[in-house]
Amino acid sequence: MLYTETASPLGRLLLTGLPSADAPGGTAIASLSVPGQRNAPAVQPNWRREPTAFAEAERQLAAYFAGERADFSLVYAVQGTEFRRKVWDALDAVPYGTTTSYGALAARIGAPRAAVRAVGGAIGANPLLVLRPCHRVIGADGSLTGYAGGLERKRLLLALENVPL
């Protein structure tokens, strides 16, 4: 596993990835996490720090945080169940500057209303904070609910995207 850390308005970001000939910069992103994030990966002794492998991801993240980019064109090396992949694909389709609810996301993937908790679990398991916009999912009543990186970071990301809170 390759990794690097980079500064951001959210604090230090930990990027992990795997070599990939199909990915910009030769690295498919496996995770992006923030300090204190629930279920965040921890750097392992056998991982290799490789900042240059993440140059394109860092460039795109810097443009996003500067308000110059609304989405990302990176290759991801993320594994998940078929259900999680459906939820994550639906997250990827939530436009910049908008929000959706857990129920609406469940409906978008054809899941029954009873599956809203499972949708929330899949969102909580998203290993690609910021890159896969789970921060755009809010409660049906418009409240800011759950975010693995903390509600203050969720608030910051939505403000960056000019979402009225």
Side-chain angles (χ1 to χ4, degrees), residues 103-154:
L105 210 58
R108 185 176 294 162
I109 65 166
R113 181 83 178 128
V116 169
R117 282 177 103 55
V119 167
I123 293 168
N126 171 24
L128 298 168
L129 265 71
V130 184
L131 300 174
R132 179 166 283 137
C134 54
H135 59 276
R136 297 179 189 152
V137 182
I138 61 174
D141 62 358
S143 62
L144 293 186
T145 57
Y147 186 63
L151 289 182
E152 192 51 43
R153 288 186 179 111
K154 184 173 191 165

Side-chain angles (χ1 to χ4, degrees), residues 3-15:
Y3 78 96
T4 194
E5 294 180 307
T6 189
S8 84
L10 304 177
R12 300 276 310 151
L13 302 179
L14 172 64
L15 286 154

Side-chain angles (χ1 to χ4, degrees), residues 2 15-30 50-61 69 71-77 131:
L2 306 175
L15 286 154
T16 67
L18 298 169
S20 169
D22 299 331
T27 304
I29 308 300
E50 193 68 53
T52 57
F54 297 92
E56 180 60 20
E58 288 185 90
R59 186 187 69 71
Q60 290 185 33
L61 282 162
R69 184 176 196 99
D71 56 11
F72 300 94
S73 57
L74 299 167
V75 173
Y76 303 130
L131 300 174

